Amino acid sequence: MQPEFNFFQHWYPVSPVEDIDPQRPTPITLLGLRLVIWKPKSSETYRVFLDQCPHRLAPLSEGRVDDKTGNLMCSYHGWQFDAQGVCTHIPQAENPEIVTKNQDSFCVTTLPVRQANDLLWVWPDAKSAELADQTPLPLSPQIDASKGFVWSSFVRDLAYDWQTLVENVADPSHVPFSHHGVQGRREQAKPIPIDIVQSTADLIEVNVSRNLKSTIIFEPPCRLEYAISFGDAGKQVGLITYCIPVSPGKSRIVAQFSRNFAKELHRFTPRWWDHINNRNPVLDGDMVLLLQQEQILQQRQATESWKTAYQMPTSADRLVIEFRRWFDRYCQGKLPWQEVGLNIAESSTINPDRTVVLDRYKQHTQHCSSCRNALKNIERSQIILLAYFAITVAAAAILPDSLRLKLGLPLVISGVLGLAAYAWLKFWLTPKFYFVDYVHSER
C-alpha cells in the first residue's frame, strides 16, 4: 500500500507579498483552516496565526495592529498577542499575573511562515515546525533575477475544487478553445504530443513535443509550472502556478509569469491592466466550463471512476491522466477535509447567477493591491471629470455674449471631452474590475 500524502506538511504560497496590506490583518483560508496574516510593527516579515482568539474564539482577522504596542489586538475584548502568538495584555485582568502565569494556555496557534520569490509561504501544520524548517520551498528556477528573468504575479479565488484546478492547468490542449482570442485561436489547434519523463510521489515531469520546446512539472501539492523555450538563443517564458486547496468546492490560484527577454516591456505595462485584460479573462473562460464539469464528475463518481467517466484517447491528455493516477495512488482520490471537520456537500445545482460565478471583485480585485488602487483612482477620476464638466458648462453659461464664442465654446468642448472620458471610465473600464460576462458562443 502506498504511503498517504500529507497535504498539511507542505509549503503553500497564499499570496503575493505586494498584495498584502501591512496595516491591517488579512483573513485567508488554506485546507479548510481559517488563518489571519498580519505584520508586527517591529518586524520586516508577516506572521500567520489561526484566525481565532483563545478567549472566546472571535476572528483575529477582524482585529487591528495596536498603534502603541505593535501587537495584534482582538476587536472583541482587546486581548493582544505578539509576533510569537504570546498573549501580552488582557484589559479585563484584575491582576497582571493572570497573563504571565497562563501564557501557554492563552497563546494563539502560530504557523511557520517564509517570504521568498515575492510570495508569502505558509506551512499549515503547527505541530511540525521543525520539519518545515528542513523542507525546501517549491520555488521555480524561472523566478530568478540573477538569471535575467523578470516576472509579474496574480492571485484569484476560484469556485471549484483544487483537483479541478490542477487538472485544468495541466491540460495545454484546451487553451486555443477555452481562451480563443485571449490566448491562442481555435483554428490554430494542433495535436499535442506529451511524453512522461518521470512520475513519482513527489514529482511528475513531462515534455511537450511541438514547435516550441516545453516542459511541464507538477510538484505536489501545489506547484505546476510550464517552461517554454524559443529557439537556440536561450529565450524562455514561464507560467508558474501554485494551486491552493481552500475548502470543498473552493481553490485559489497564485500565478507568476516570467520571461528572460523583452524585459523593458515588463515596466511599461501596468500590472492592473494586464490583470483586467489578460489574466482575468483566461480564468473567466475556464470558470463557466469547469463548474459543470466538476459537478457532473462528482455525480458520476458515485457509481464509476473517472477512468470511465472521462474519455481521453489522445496524447494531449497524458498529464491529466498521470495527475489523476497520482491523486488516486497517494491521496485515495480525496482531500483531507474531514481532518479539519469539514464535510463535502455535493451541490445538486450550479449557481445560474453569472455575476456571482464570475465576480472579479470578490475573487480578485479586493485581493490585488494594484487593481484595488487602480480602481480607487479611476473612481476618483470619474468624480473629478463629472465635476469638471459641470463647472465648464456653468462657466460658459454665465460668460457675457461677447466672450461666449471665444471662451465659452472651448470650455464646452473641453467639458464634453471630459464627459466622454468619464463615460469611458464608468461604462468600459470600471466594470472590468467587477464583472465581465464570458459567453463562448459569442467569441
Side-chain angles (χ1 to χ4, degrees), residues 213-393:
K213 181 182 177 182
S214 304
T215 300
I216 310 175
I217 289 175
F218 174 54
E219 183 181 359
C222 60
R223 177 178 159 234
L224 213 172
E225 174 171 340
Y226 284 65
I228 305 171
S229 300
F230 293 83
D232 299 323
K235 293 181 179 180
Q236 186 171 309
V237 297
L239 167 62
I240 303 95
T241 64
Y242 292 96
C243 305
I244 313 301
V246 174
S247 60
K250 303 291 182 182
S251 60
R252 167 175 280 205
I253 186 169
V254 176
Q256 294 180 303
F257 310 91
S258 67
R259 65 173 179 268
N260 61 1
F261 62 95
K263 302 173 190 177
E264 295 302 319
L265 292 176
H266 176 75
R267 301 177 182 178
F268 292 115
T269 304
R271 183 172 175 241
W272 63 269
W273 184 264
D274 182 46
H275 288 182
I276 65 173
N277 291 301
N278 296 312
R279 309 308 174 190
N280 274 317
V282 166
L283 291 169
D284 289 342
D286 285 333
M287 190 87 74
V288 295
L289 301 172
L290 296 180
L291 285 176
Q292 179 165 319
Q293 172 197 316
E294 179 175 273
Q295 184 200 43
I296 293 174
L297 180 62
Q298 287 176 350
Q299 292 170 346
R300 293 185 63 169
Q301 281 185 314
T303 57
E304 62 179 314
S305 165
W306 61 267
K307 297 175 184 178
T308 54
Y310 286 167
Q311 300 298 321
M312 296 188 286
T314 71
S315 174
D317 294 315
R318 283 182 180 170
L319 183 51
V320 172
I321 293 171
E322 203 61 32
F323 162 68
R324 282 288 174 181
R325 287 174 175 168
W326 174 91
F327 194 41
D328 284 348
R329 186 179 302 124
Y330 300 105
C331 312
Q332 288 72 56
K334 59 184 179 181
L335 286 157
W337 301 129
Q338 291 183 342
E339 293 185 31
V340 291
L342 295 177
N343 294 319
I344 302 176
E346 295 183 6
S347 175
S348 58
T349 59
I350 296 174
N351 191 337
D353 189 346
R354 296 168 77 95
T355 62
V356 175
V357 171
L358 300 175
D359 189 336
R360 288 187 182 183
Y361 185 84
K362 289 184 177 179
Q363 295 171 3
H364 170 72
T365 303
Q366 67 175 352
H367 304 304
C368 174
S369 60
S370 299
C371 290
R372 283 197 311 268
N373 293 332
L375 181 58
K376 287 179 182 178
N377 291 333
I378 290 167
E379 290 175 340
R380 288 170 184 159
S381 298
Q382 291 177 45
I383 296 172
I384 293 171
L385 288 168
L386 203 57
Y388 178 75
F389 170 74
I391 292 170
T392 54
V393 170

Side-chain angles (χ1 to χ4, degrees), residues 411-440:
L411 279 175
V412 171
I413 291 174
S414 67
V416 170
L417 291 175
L419 186 62
Y422 162 82
W424 182 78
L425 291 176
K426 183 174 180 62
F427 298 109
W428 187 87
L429 190 57
T430 299
K432 291 181 179 290
F433 294 92
Y434 290 96
F435 164 76
V436 177
D437 200 2
Y438 200 106
V439 182
H440 284 274

